[in-house]
Amino acid sequence: MAETESTKVLDEIKTKFGDAVSPDEREGYDGYLVRAENLLDFATFVRDALGYDYLSSVTGVDYIVEDKMEVVYHAYRTSGGPALLFKVQTQREKSVVPSLVSIYPGADFQEREAWDLLGIEFEGHPDLRRILLWDGFHGHPLRKDWREAYFEEDQKPFGNRWPEGKVYRIEDKVPFNKNVKYPANFTPEGWVPEGEGTLYASLGRMEKSNGNGTGSEHIVVNLGPQHPSTHGVFRMVAELDGETIVDLKPVMGYLHRNHEKIGERNTYIMNMPFTDRLDYICSMGNNFAYALSVEKLMDVQPPERAEYLRVIMAELTRVVNHFWAIGFLLNDLGAFFTPALYAINERELILDVFEAVSGSRMMCNYFRFGGLARDLPPGTAEVIRDLAFERLPEKIDELERYLTENEIVRVRGEGVGVLTAEQAIGFAAAGPVLRASGVPYDVRKAEPYSIYDRFDFDVAVRYNGDVYDRYLIRVDEIRQSIRILQQAIQDLPEGEIQTGRPQYQVRVPAGESYGRVENPKGELGFYVISDGSPTPYRYHIRAPSFINVTGMAEMSRGQKIADVVAILGSIDIVLGETDR
Amino acid sequence: MYGIGLIKGLGVTLKHFVETYVEDIRWLSRGGRYYDEEALKVRQSTAARGIFTVQYPEEKLPVPEEFRYIPFLIYEVDEDGIKVDRCTSCGICAKVCPPQCIWIVRSNDPETGRPVPAPTDFFIDIDICMNCGLCAEYCPFDAIKMDHDYELASHDRFKDHIFDKERLDHPLSYYAEIRPRNYAEEERARAEKEAAKAARRKSK
Ligand code: SF4
Ligand code: SF4
C-alpha cells in the first residue's frame, strides 16, 4: 500500500511541478529535491494537499565538494506514518533559500539555527538573527571549512596520542585570549551590543500618549539568564504592559558547545557518550535515538533481549523525566522543593538501576549499534519488577493525591499558557506539550520503532492545552509507561544482547538516515549522513527542548509576568539539549 | 469545598513526616537507622519509607560493580615478584577515547627495532576524561578498567590532574576486589581459551 501511495504522490507531484521537483536519486538518499523558487509552493502543497501538517525538522548541510548548501525538511502527518523528505539546494557563497515560517511557524528557530551555524539565509524570515552564538562570533561554525579554537585535526582519533604520546594541555599551546577570532572590525572592548538593540526592536516596543500630557510606556523585563526559574542559563525578554505580557522573546545559547561539530569530528561510537550530555535527564532515550539512526544506515538489528531492555530503559527514563518535570513545575509555582524532593525520591531508585546496568546514574552510555553495552547484573531485574509492579504505581497515586486536586495548582494552571491544537502542530511542538493540546501524536504509535508495536498502551491526550493539562498529561504518561514496563519485564526473553561482535570502529555505508524516538520531552531525532568514512559527515539533532520553545511567545501573550515561569516549567526544557 | 485538595495534599506530607519516625523506632532495637550499612541499604531501596537522604561523607552510598569513574591500568606480579603490565600498548583505547584524553608512549626495542609490547608511559588527563568507559570496554587485553574512586579533588589541577602510568597502575588484586563478578567472568573465559589452545596443541 505504501508503494502505491508513494507512486501516486509522485505522479501528482510530477503533473503539478514538472521539473521543479525531482526525486533525490543519490545513493542512500530519499525524498525530493525542490528548486528554491518553487519551495514555498511545494511546501504549501505538501501541507495542504498531501496532509503533511507537521514540519518536524529543518537541517542545513554543507556539501563543500559540490560547492552547495542544502536544507533538508522532514515533514510528517499528525495522523501517523513515515516522513516526507524534501530538500532545497543553494550555492555556498551567499546561500539564500526561501523561509518556510509563513507555512510552518515551527521552522522559526530551526531556520535561525541554520543561519547561525551554517550561514544559510532564509529570505522572508521575520526575525533572522543568530540564535545560539553571539554577535562577536566569527563565521558559521558548521561549515566544513570552519575550524574551532582548539582545532587539532578534522577527524578523530588524533594521530599524536599514540604511539608518541607527548602529553600536553591544549591551553598551554593556545593560551586563553589567543583562542578567539572576531569578525572584521570587531573589538570586544568597544562592543555595543547592537544585537540587543535589534532584539528589543523586534519586540515592537511602544509608547502611547494619553493626550493629557501624561503617557504610558511598555517596559521590558529580562528574566534570566541567571534566574532560578529558568532551569539553567536561559533568558526571556518580556515586554510588559503593566503586569501583562505583550510580547516575549526567548534568548538561548549560553550552554552552546556546538555538539554537532564535535559530533562530526568524532567516530560513530564516540558520539554515544556525547549524546548523554544533550538532555542529561534522559540519556537512555538519547542513546536510543542515536543508535536507531546509525543502525538504519548499517542495517543491523539488535537481538530480542536487547530490544526489551531498550524499551525498559526508555520507559524508566520517561518516568524519571516526568517525575522531575512535575517536581520542578511545582517549584516554579512556589511550592518550594517538597514536591520536587518527593518526586526525586523515586527518580533516585530508578537511577540506581541505571547505575547498576550502565555504570553511571545520568551519563548512561548504554546503547551500542546492534545491541547494548552489557546485560543486566544479577538482582536488577527483580528491582525493576518491584518498581514496575509495586513502588511506582503506589507512588504515582500518592503524587496525584498530593497535587492533582490542590486548589493552588489548579488556579495557577488552568487556562494559563494555552496552546491550541492547530498552534501546537504549527509550532512543531512535540511530546507532552503537543498532546496536552489535544493532538494524540506519539512516535511510539505514529511510526512504531523498536518493539513498541508489541505492547498494549494508550497515547495519553488532554484537550485544554494549558499548564494544568501539561501537568496531568505527565501523570498519565507515567501510568502508561508503568503499563509498558510491566509487560516488558514479564516478557523479557533470555539471550544475547549484541548482534555480532562489539566493534570499536563500525563501518557505516554512505547515505542519510533519520532515527527518531518519542523521548520524554518530545520527538528526538538524529539526522545522520555518512560518506562511508569513520566519522559522520553530518550529525544533526532535532531537539525537542529547543523546538518546543518556539511556541513560548504565543503561550505567554496576555498572561501575567508571574505565569511565564509556570509556562516555561510546563514546557519542561533542559538547556543541555536546547543549546547543544 | 474549597481547600479539600490542599488538606489532602498536606496529609501526604504528614504521612512522610510520620513514617520517618515510625521507621526510626522500628530500627531502634537494631542500633538505629543512621550510620549503619545495613540500614542505609534499606533506606535506599524500593522498600524505603520516610526520610531518604544520605549523610555524606559519614555515610556513603555503596557503588555497584559497574560504577565507572576514572580508568586505571592493571599489572600482574609474576613468580619472581616482577610487575608485568597487562597493557601491550596496542593503542585501541587511545583511538576509541571520545575526548582523546589518553596519551600512550610506545617504544621500540633498540636491538630488533620492533615495538615493545608494553607502554613506556601512559597518561590520562582526568579533567578531560568523560568517564564513558569505552576504553575499558574495548581493550582486548583487559588491561584498562574503570575505577570506583570518585573522591579526587585536589588543589592544583595542572600538577595533579594528568595521571601518569605510576598513578594509573593498580595490581590485579585491586581489580578483583572492586569488580569481582567481571573479574571472575574474565578469568573463566581466559581459562577456557587456554584449555582450548592446549587441547588443540595436543591433538596436533
Ligand atoms: S590499555 Fe588496552 S587498549 Fe589501551 S593500549 Fe593497553 S592494551 Fe591496548
Ligand atoms: S573513560 Fe572514556 S573518556 Fe575516559 S579515558 Fe576512557 S575512553 Fe577516554
Side-chain angles (χ1 to χ4, degrees), chain A residues 156 158 161-163 169 277 345 364-365 368 386 391 398 407, chain B residues 3 15-16 46 48-49 52 68 89 98 100 104 106 130 137:
Chain A
K156 289 176 187 172
F158 300 146
R161 300 296 195 268
W162 173 89
R169 276 181 196 274
R277 276 86 177 159
N345 232 350
C364 295
N365 183 21
R368 296 289 174 265
D386 208 22
R391 178 98 187 179
E398 186 183 286
E407 284 79 2
Chain B
K15 180 167 152 269
H16 274 252
T46 51
R49 293 285 177 271
F52 197 78
R68 51 183 149 84
S89 191
Q100 293 287 290
I104 303 171
R106 188 187 66 184
M130 69 199 291
E137 208 172 308

PDB file of all heavy atoms in Angstrom, chain A residues 156 158 161-163 169 277 345 364-365 368 386 391 398 407, chain B residues 3 15-16 46 48-49 52 68 89 98 100 104 106 130 137:
ATOM      1  N   LYS A 156      38.791  12.492  14.460  1.00  0.00           N
ATOM      2  CA  LYS A 156      39.426  11.683  15.488  1.00  0.00           C
ATOM      3  C   LYS A 156      39.578  10.271  14.950  1.00  0.00           C
ATOM      4  O   LYS A 156      38.844   9.892  14.054  1.00  0.00           O
ATOM      5  CB  LYS A 156      38.558  11.687  16.745  1.00  0.00           C
ATOM      6  CG  LYS A 156      38.570  13.029  17.467  1.00  0.00           C
ATOM      7  CD  LYS A 156      37.619  12.983  18.645  1.00  0.00           C
ATOM      8  CE  LYS A 156      37.498  14.371  19.263  1.00  0.00           C
ATOM      9  NZ  LYS A 156      36.463  14.447  20.287  1.00  0.00           N
ATOM     10  N   PHE A 158      43.059  11.472  16.951  1.00  0.00           N
ATOM     11  CA  PHE A 158      44.177  12.335  16.612  1.00  0.00           C
ATOM     12  C   PHE A 158      45.474  11.525  16.605  1.00  0.00           C
ATOM     13  O   PHE A 158      45.740  10.750  17.523  1.00  0.00           O
ATOM     14  CB  PHE A 158      44.296  13.478  17.615  1.00  0.00           C
ATOM     15  CG  PHE A 158      43.065  14.349  17.653  1.00  0.00           C
ATOM     16  CD1 PHE A 158      42.647  14.924  18.841  1.00  0.00           C
ATOM     17  CD2 PHE A 158      42.329  14.608  16.497  1.00  0.00           C
ATOM     18  CE1 PHE A 158      41.518  15.728  18.878  1.00  0.00           C
ATOM     19  CE2 PHE A 158      41.204  15.415  16.525  1.00  0.00           C
ATOM     20  CZ  PHE A 158      40.795  15.974  17.726  1.00  0.00           C
ATOM     21  N   ARG A 161      48.268  10.938  19.736  1.00  0.00           N
ATOM     22  CA  ARG A 161      48.007  10.340  21.039  1.00  0.00           C
ATOM     23  C   ARG A 161      48.760   9.023  21.214  1.00  0.00           C
ATOM     24  O   ARG A 161      49.071   8.602  22.316  1.00  0.00           O
ATOM     25  CB  ARG A 161      46.507  10.079  21.221  1.00  0.00           C
ATOM     26  CG  ARG A 161      45.634  11.316  21.135  1.00  0.00           C
ATOM     27  CD  ARG A 161      45.956  12.265  22.276  1.00  0.00           C
ATOM     28  NE  ARG A 161      44.926  13.271  22.448  1.00  0.00           N
ATOM     29  CZ  ARG A 161      44.924  14.457  21.877  1.00  0.00           C
ATOM     30  NH1 ARG A 161      45.904  14.814  21.058  1.00  0.00           N
ATOM     31  NH2 ARG A 161      43.955  15.322  22.100  1.00  0.00           N
ATOM     32  N   TRP A 162      48.996   8.378  20.151  1.00  0.00           N
ATOM     33  CA  TRP A 162      49.644   7.063  20.163  1.00  0.00           C
ATOM     34  C   TRP A 162      50.342   6.910  18.834  1.00  0.00           C
ATOM     35  O   TRP A 162      49.794   7.315  17.823  1.00  0.00           O
ATOM     36  CB  TRP A 162      48.562   5.986  20.317  1.00  0.00           C
ATOM     37  CG  TRP A 162      49.051   4.587  20.179  1.00  0.00           C
ATOM     38  CD1 TRP A 162      49.533   3.793  21.174  1.00  0.00           C
ATOM     39  CD2 TRP A 162      49.074   3.802  18.987  1.00  0.00           C
ATOM     40  NE1 TRP A 162      49.877   2.573  20.672  1.00  0.00           N
ATOM     41  CE2 TRP A 162      49.605   2.541  19.323  1.00  0.00           C
ATOM     42  CE3 TRP A 162      48.724   4.032  17.669  1.00  0.00           C
ATOM     43  CZ2 TRP A 162      49.793   1.523  18.399  1.00  0.00           C
ATOM     44  CZ3 TRP A 162      48.903   3.012  16.731  1.00  0.00           C
ATOM     45  CH2 TRP A 162      49.429   1.770  17.098  1.00  0.00           C
ATOM     46  N   PRO A 163      51.541   6.434  18.716  1.00  0.00           N
ATOM     47  CA  PRO A 163      52.374   5.917  19.795  1.00  0.00           C
ATOM     48  C   PRO A 163      53.356   6.936  20.395  1.00  0.00           C
ATOM     49  O   PRO A 163      54.118   6.545  21.274  1.00  0.00           O
ATOM     50  CB  PRO A 163      53.147   4.805  19.099  1.00  0.00           C
ATOM     51  CG  PRO A 163      53.225   5.214  17.663  1.00  0.00           C
ATOM     52  CD  PRO A 163      52.069   6.113  17.395  1.00  0.00           C
ATOM     53  N   ARG A 169      48.640  19.987  27.508  1.00  0.00           N
ATOM     54  CA  ARG A 169      47.323  20.593  27.640  1.00  0.00           C
ATOM     55  C   ARG A 169      47.150  21.585  26.515  1.00  0.00           C
ATOM     56  O   ARG A 169      48.025  22.411  26.281  1.00  0.00           O
ATOM     57  CB  ARG A 169      47.198  21.323  28.972  1.00  0.00           C
ATOM     58  CG  ARG A 169      46.823  20.423  30.084  1.00  0.00           C
ATOM     59  CD  ARG A 169      46.697  21.230  31.355  1.00  0.00           C
ATOM     60  NE  ARG A 169      46.701  20.339  32.492  1.00  0.00           N
ATOM     61  CZ  ARG A 169      45.609  19.745  32.961  1.00  0.00           C
ATOM     62  NH1 ARG A 169      44.451  19.972  32.394  1.00  0.00           N
ATOM     63  NH2 ARG A 169      45.687  18.947  33.986  1.00  0.00           N
ATOM     64  N   ARG A 277      24.946  13.843  27.049  1.00  0.00           N
ATOM     65  CA  ARG A 277      25.037  15.213  27.565  1.00  0.00           C
ATOM     66  C   ARG A 277      24.032  16.155  26.925  1.00  0.00           C
ATOM     67  O   ARG A 277      24.058  17.348  27.204  1.00  0.00           O
ATOM     68  CB  ARG A 277      26.451  15.766  27.329  1.00  0.00           C
ATOM     69  CG  ARG A 277      27.455  15.366  28.399  1.00  0.00           C
ATOM     70  CD  ARG A 277      28.096  14.041  28.148  1.00  0.00           C
ATOM     71  NE  ARG A 277      29.096  13.735  29.160  1.00  0.00           N
ATOM     72  CZ  ARG A 277      29.512  12.507  29.412  1.00  0.00           C
ATOM     73  NH1 ARG A 277      29.013  11.484  28.762  1.00  0.00           N
ATOM     74  NH2 ARG A 277      30.429  12.290  30.336  1.00  0.00           N
ATOM     75  N   ASN A 345      12.824  11.362  44.950  1.00  0.00           N
ATOM     76  CA  ASN A 345      12.923  10.109  45.664  1.00  0.00           C
ATOM     77  C   ASN A 345      12.810   8.917  44.729  1.00  0.00           C
ATOM     78  O   ASN A 345      13.667   8.034  44.704  1.00  0.00           O
ATOM     79  CB  ASN A 345      11.746  10.039  46.639  1.00  0.00           C
ATOM     80  CG  ASN A 345      12.192   9.745  48.033  1.00  0.00           C
ATOM     81  OD1 ASN A 345      13.344   9.416  48.244  1.00  0.00           O
ATOM     82  ND2 ASN A 345      11.289   9.870  48.974  1.00  0.00           N
ATOM     83  N   CYS A 364      24.545   7.589  30.903  1.00  0.00           N
ATOM     84  CA  CYS A 364      24.471   6.128  30.866  1.00  0.00           C
ATOM     85  C   CYS A 364      25.345   5.481  29.790  1.00  0.00           C
ATOM     86  O   CYS A 364      25.942   4.447  30.034  1.00  0.00           O
ATOM     87  CB  CYS A 364      23.031   5.692  30.680  1.00  0.00           C
ATOM     88  SG  CYS A 364      22.028   6.150  32.091  1.00  0.00           S
ATOM     89  N   ASN A 365      25.383   6.055  28.593  1.00  0.00           N
ATOM     90  CA  ASN A 365      26.214   5.471  27.538  1.00  0.00           C
ATOM     91  C   ASN A 365      26.006   3.960  27.463  1.00  0.00           C
ATOM     92  O   ASN A 365      26.946   3.188  27.519  1.00  0.00           O
ATOM     93  CB  ASN A 365      27.689   5.792  27.823  1.00  0.00           C
ATOM     94  CG  ASN A 365      28.605   5.279  26.741  1.00  0.00           C
ATOM     95  OD1 ASN A 365      28.178   5.044  25.619  1.00  0.00           O
ATOM     96  ND2 ASN A 365      29.867   5.098  27.077  1.00  0.00           N
ATOM     97  N   ARG A 368      24.579   0.371  22.206  1.00  0.00           N
ATOM     98  CA  ARG A 368      25.600   0.184  21.177  1.00  0.00           C
ATOM     99  C   ARG A 368      24.875  -0.105  19.872  1.00  0.00           C
ATOM    100  O   ARG A 368      23.715  -0.494  19.877  1.00  0.00           O
ATOM    101  CB  ARG A 368      26.515  -0.998  21.526  1.00  0.00           C
ATOM    102  CG  ARG A 368      27.323  -0.805  22.795  1.00  0.00           C
ATOM    103  CD  ARG A 368      28.413   0.233  22.635  1.00  0.00           C
ATOM    104  NE  ARG A 368      29.077   0.484  23.904  1.00  0.00           N
ATOM    105  CZ  ARG A 368      28.741   1.470  24.733  1.00  0.00           C
ATOM    106  NH1 ARG A 368      27.773   2.301  24.430  1.00  0.00           N
ATOM    107  NH2 ARG A 368      29.378   1.628  25.870  1.00  0.00           N
ATOM    108  N   ASP A 386      10.000  -4.935  40.879  1.00  0.00           N
ATOM    109  CA  ASP A 386       9.490  -4.338  42.100  1.00  0.00           C
ATOM    110  C   ASP A 386       8.996  -2.916  41.846  1.00  0.00           C
ATOM    111  O   ASP A 386       7.909  -2.521  42.281  1.00  0.00           O
ATOM    112  CB  ASP A 386      10.649  -4.311  43.105  1.00  0.00           C
ATOM    113  CG  ASP A 386      10.151  -4.376  44.516  1.00  0.00           C
ATOM    114  OD1 ASP A 386       9.019  -4.847  44.695  1.00  0.00           O
ATOM    115  OD2 ASP A 386      10.908  -3.952  45.417  1.00  0.00           O
ATOM    116  N   ARG A 391       6.204  -0.301  43.663  1.00  0.00           N
ATOM    117  CA  ARG A 391       6.575   1.028  44.141  1.00  0.00           C
ATOM    118  C   ARG A 391       6.009   2.155  43.271  1.00  0.00           C
ATOM    119  O   ARG A 391       5.364   3.061  43.772  1.00  0.00           O
ATOM    120  CB  ARG A 391       8.104   1.118  44.171  1.00  0.00           C
ATOM    121  CG  ARG A 391       8.644   2.450  44.592  1.00  0.00           C
ATOM    122  CD  ARG A 391       9.025   2.486  46.027  1.00  0.00           C
ATOM    123  NE  ARG A 391       9.384   3.847  46.417  1.00  0.00           N
ATOM    124  CZ  ARG A 391       9.752   4.182  47.646  1.00  0.00           C
ATOM    125  NH1 ARG A 391       9.817   3.279  48.590  1.00  0.00           N
ATOM    126  NH2 ARG A 391      10.051   5.426  47.941  1.00  0.00           N
ATOM    127  N   GLU A 398       0.116   8.405  45.034  1.00  0.00           N
ATOM    128  CA  GLU A 398       0.375   9.331  46.133  1.00  0.00           C
ATOM    129  C   GLU A 398       0.616  10.742  45.605  1.00  0.00           C
ATOM    130  O   GLU A 398       0.100  11.715  46.142  1.00  0.00           O
ATOM    131  CB  GLU A 398       1.585   8.852  46.927  1.00  0.00           C
ATOM    132  CG  GLU A 398       1.845   9.666  48.176  1.00  0.00           C
ATOM    133  CD  GLU A 398       3.105   9.207  48.909  1.00  0.00           C
ATOM    134  OE1 GLU A 398       3.063   8.141  49.538  1.00  0.00           O
ATOM    135  OE2 GLU A 398       4.123   9.909  48.825  1.00  0.00           O
ATOM    136  N   GLU A 407      -5.928  23.112  45.117  1.00  0.00           N
ATOM    137  CA  GLU A 407      -6.581  24.292  44.545  1.00  0.00           C
ATOM    138  C   GLU A 407      -5.579  25.276  43.963  1.00  0.00           C
ATOM    139  O   GLU A 407      -5.847  25.925  42.953  1.00  0.00           O
ATOM    140  CB  GLU A 407      -7.439  24.994  45.607  1.00  0.00           C
ATOM    141  CG  GLU A 407      -8.754  24.302  45.901  1.00  0.00           C
ATOM    142  CD  GLU A 407      -8.606  23.113  46.824  1.00  0.00           C
ATOM    143  OE1 GLU A 407      -7.476  22.829  47.276  1.00  0.00           O
ATOM    144  OE2 GLU A 407      -9.618  22.443  47.095  1.00  0.00           O
TER     145      GLU A 407
ATOM    146  N   GLY B   3     -10.443  23.970  49.337  1.00  0.00           N
ATOM    147  CA  GLY B   3      -9.424  23.665  50.338  1.00  0.00           C
ATOM    148  C   GLY B   3      -9.265  22.193  50.629  1.00  0.00           C
ATOM    149  O   GLY B   3      -8.294  21.784  51.265  1.00  0.00           O
ATOM    150  N   LYS B  15       2.172  12.231  56.251  1.00  0.00           N
ATOM    151  CA  LYS B  15       2.466  10.804  56.197  1.00  0.00           C
ATOM    152  C   LYS B  15       3.984  10.591  56.085  1.00  0.00           C
ATOM    153  O   LYS B  15       4.557   9.778  56.812  1.00  0.00           O
ATOM    154  CB  LYS B  15       1.747  10.180  55.008  1.00  0.00           C
ATOM    155  CG  LYS B  15       1.970   8.698  54.846  1.00  0.00           C
ATOM    156  CD  LYS B  15       0.989   8.104  53.841  1.00  0.00           C
ATOM    157  CE  LYS B  15       1.554   6.885  53.159  1.00  0.00           C
ATOM    158  NZ  LYS B  15       2.283   7.131  51.921  1.00  0.00           N
ATOM    159  N   HIS B  16       4.611  11.345  55.173  1.00  0.00           N
ATOM    160  CA  HIS B  16       6.060  11.222  55.025  1.00  0.00           C
ATOM    161  C   HIS B  16       6.761  11.529  56.338  1.00  0.00           C
ATOM    162  O   HIS B  16       7.708  10.855  56.732  1.00  0.00           O
ATOM    163  CB  HIS B  16       6.557  12.197  53.956  1.00  0.00           C
ATOM    164  CG  HIS B  16       6.492  11.650  52.579  1.00  0.00           C
ATOM    165  ND1 HIS B  16       7.597  11.271  51.862  1.00  0.00           N
ATOM    166  CD2 HIS B  16       5.434  11.412  51.781  1.00  0.00           C
ATOM    167  CE1 HIS B  16       7.221  10.816  50.686  1.00  0.00           C
ATOM    168  NE2 HIS B  16       5.909  10.905  50.598  1.00  0.00           N
ATOM    169  N   THR B  46      13.744  -0.030  47.281  1.00  0.00           N
ATOM    170  CA  THR B  46      12.334   0.196  46.961  1.00  0.00           C
ATOM    171  C   THR B  46      11.448   0.023  48.185  1.00  0.00           C
ATOM    172  O   THR B  46      10.278   0.370  48.154  1.00  0.00           O
ATOM    173  CB  THR B  46      11.873  -0.779  45.868  1.00  0.00           C
ATOM    174  OG1 THR B  46      12.236  -2.097  46.251  1.00  0.00           O
ATOM    175  CG2 THR B  46      12.510  -0.456  44.535  1.00  0.00           C
ATOM    176  N   ALA B  48      12.033   1.589  50.910  1.00  0.00           N
ATOM    177  CA  ALA B  48      12.281   2.759  51.753  1.00  0.00           C
ATOM    178  C   ALA B  48      10.986   3.495  52.081  1.00  0.00           C
ATOM    179  O   ALA B  48      10.129   3.673  51.237  1.00  0.00           O
ATOM    180  CB  ALA B  48      13.249   3.696  51.050  1.00  0.00           C
ATOM    181  N   ARG B  49      10.880   3.919  53.311  1.00  0.00           N
ATOM    182  CA  ARG B  49       9.779   4.758  53.754  1.00  0.00           C
ATOM    183  C   ARG B  49      10.360   5.931  54.539  1.00  0.00           C
ATOM    184  O   ARG B  49      11.405   5.795  55.148  1.00  0.00           O
ATOM    185  CB  ARG B  49       8.805   3.974  54.647  1.00  0.00           C
ATOM    186  CG  ARG B  49       8.054   2.881  53.930  1.00  0.00           C
ATOM    187  CD  ARG B  49       6.944   3.474  53.052  1.00  0.00           C
ATOM    188  NE  ARG B  49       6.241   2.457  52.292  1.00  0.00           N
ATOM    189  CZ  ARG B  49       6.597   2.035  51.073  1.00  0.00           C
ATOM    190  NH1 ARG B  49       7.659   2.542  50.488  1.00  0.00           N
ATOM    191  NH2 ARG B  49       5.903   1.121  50.446  1.00  0.00           N
ATOM    192  N   PHE B  52      14.933   9.787  53.248  1.00  0.00           N
ATOM    193  CA  PHE B  52      15.607   9.058  52.180  1.00  0.00           C
ATOM    194  C   PHE B  52      17.063   9.480  52.050  1.00  0.00           C
ATOM    195  O   PHE B  52      17.840   8.842  51.380  1.00  0.00           O
ATOM    196  CB  PHE B  52      14.858   9.389  50.889  1.00  0.00           C
ATOM    197  CG  PHE B  52      15.114   8.464  49.750  1.00  0.00           C
ATOM    198  CD1 PHE B  52      14.490   7.224  49.701  1.00  0.00           C
ATOM    199  CD2 PHE B  52      15.941   8.827  48.710  1.00  0.00           C
ATOM    200  CE1 PHE B  52      14.696   6.366  48.633  1.00  0.00           C
ATOM    201  CE2 PHE B  52      16.155   7.975  47.645  1.00  0.00           C
ATOM    202  CZ  PHE B  52      15.539   6.742  47.605  1.00  0.00           C
ATOM    203  N   ARG B  68      31.533   3.505  37.144  1.00  0.00           N
ATOM    204  CA  ARG B  68      32.780   3.869  36.455  1.00  0.00           C
ATOM    205  C   ARG B  68      33.133   5.313  36.760  1.00  0.00           C
ATOM    206  O   ARG B  68      32.277   6.177  36.822  1.00  0.00           O
ATOM    207  CB  ARG B  68      32.641   3.665  34.958  1.00  0.00           C
ATOM    208  CG  ARG B  68      31.429   4.310  34.328  1.00  0.00           C
ATOM    209  CD  ARG B  68      31.360   3.971  32.840  1.00  0.00           C
ATOM    210  NE  ARG B  68      29.999   3.903  32.346  1.00  0.00           N
ATOM    211  CZ  ARG B  68      29.298   4.950  31.945  1.00  0.00           C
ATOM    212  NH1 ARG B  68      29.800   6.157  31.985  1.00  0.00           N
ATOM    213  NH2 ARG B  68      28.069   4.802  31.504  1.00  0.00           N
ATOM    214  N   SER B  89      50.241  -1.812  24.836  1.00  0.00           N
ATOM    215  CA  SER B  89      50.481  -0.586  24.093  1.00  0.00           C
ATOM    216  C   SER B  89      49.913  -0.656  22.666  1.00  0.00           C
ATOM    217  O   SER B  89      50.470  -0.109  21.731  1.00  0.00           O
ATOM    218  CB  SER B  89      51.987  -0.308  24.043  1.00  0.00           C
ATOM    219  OG  SER B  89      52.235   0.967  23.571  1.00  0.00           O
ATOM    220  N   PRO B  98      36.580   9.137  23.335  1.00  0.00           N
ATOM    221  CA  PRO B  98      35.883  10.229  22.657  1.00  0.00           C
ATOM    222  C   PRO B  98      36.542  11.605  22.820  1.00  0.00           C
ATOM    223  O   PRO B  98      36.697  12.314  21.836  1.00  0.00           O
ATOM    224  CB  PRO B  98      34.485  10.198  23.264  1.00  0.00           C
ATOM    225  CG  PRO B  98      34.338   8.839  23.832  1.00  0.00           C
ATOM    226  CD  PRO B  98      35.702   8.405  24.240  1.00  0.00           C
ATOM    227  N   GLN B 100      39.605  12.147  23.525  1.00  0.00           N
ATOM    228  CA  GLN B 100      41.022  11.995  23.186  1.00  0.00           C
ATOM    229  C   GLN B 100      41.925  12.426  24.336  1.00  0.00           C
ATOM    230  O   GLN B 100      42.840  13.244  24.169  1.00  0.00           O
ATOM    231  CB  GLN B 100      41.337  12.801  21.916  1.00  0.00           C
ATOM    232  CG  GLN B 100      40.647  12.246  20.678  1.00  0.00           C
ATOM    233  CD  GLN B 100      41.289  10.945  20.211  1.00  0.00           C
ATOM    234  OE1 GLN B 100      42.396  10.945  19.716  1.00  0.00           O
ATOM    235  NE2 GLN B 100      40.597   9.836  20.391  1.00  0.00           N
ATOM    236  N   ILE B 104      49.619   7.621  24.900  1.00  0.00           N
ATOM    237  CA  ILE B 104      50.421   6.431  25.180  1.00  0.00           C
ATOM    238  C   ILE B 104      51.777   6.565  24.483  1.00  0.00           C
ATOM    239  O   ILE B 104      51.840   6.910  23.306  1.00  0.00           O
ATOM    240  CB  ILE B 104      49.729   5.157  24.670  1.00  0.00           C
ATOM    241  CG1 ILE B 104      48.337   5.038  25.295  1.00  0.00           C
ATOM    242  CG2 ILE B 104      50.550   3.918  25.020  1.00  0.00           C
ATOM    243  CD1 ILE B 104      47.502   3.951  24.692  1.00  0.00           C
ATOM    244  N   ARG B 106      54.789   4.507  23.192  1.00  0.00           N
ATOM    245  CA  ARG B 106      55.259   3.164  22.888  1.00  0.00           C
ATOM    246  C   ARG B 106      56.705   3.280  22.432  1.00  0.00           C
ATOM    247  O   ARG B 106      57.053   4.217  21.716  1.00  0.00           O
ATOM    248  CB  ARG B 106      54.405   2.576  21.770  1.00  0.00           C
ATOM    249  CG  ARG B 106      54.676   1.116  21.510  1.00  0.00           C
ATOM    250  CD  ARG B 106      53.933   0.624  20.293  1.00  0.00           C
ATOM    251  NE  ARG B 106      54.436   1.256  19.085  1.00  0.00           N
ATOM    252  CZ  ARG B 106      53.911   1.069  17.888  1.00  0.00           C
ATOM    253  NH1 ARG B 106      52.829   0.323  17.754  1.00  0.00           N
ATOM    254  NH2 ARG B 106      54.417   1.661  16.824  1.00  0.00           N
ATOM    255  N   MET B 130      35.743  11.835  30.134  1.00  0.00           N
ATOM    256  CA  MET B 130      34.306  11.994  30.345  1.00  0.00           C
ATOM    257  C   MET B 130      33.689  10.762  31.011  1.00  0.00           C
ATOM    258  O   MET B 130      32.477  10.589  31.004  1.00  0.00           O
ATOM    259  CB  MET B 130      33.606  12.342  29.034  1.00  0.00           C
ATOM    260  CG  MET B 130      33.565  11.232  28.008  1.00  0.00           C
ATOM    261  SD  MET B 130      33.232  11.838  26.327  1.00  0.00           S
ATOM    262  CE  MET B 130      31.543  12.363  26.470  1.00  0.00           C
ATOM    263  N   GLU B 137      35.953  -0.924  27.828  1.00  0.00           N
ATOM    264  CA  GLU B 137      35.083  -1.840  27.108  1.00  0.00           C
ATOM    265  C   GLU B 137      35.798  -2.478  25.919  1.00  0.00           C
ATOM    266  O   GLU B 137      35.574  -3.631  25.596  1.00  0.00           O
ATOM    267  CB  GLU B 137      33.878  -1.050  26.627  1.00  0.00           C
ATOM    268  CG  GLU B 137      32.641  -1.869  26.466  1.00  0.00           C
ATOM    269  CD  GLU B 137      31.456  -0.971  26.178  1.00  0.00           C
ATOM    270  OE1 GLU B 137      31.240   0.001  26.942  1.00  0.00           O
ATOM    271  OE2 GLU B 137      30.773  -1.207  25.184  1.00  0.00           O
TER     272      GLU B 137
END
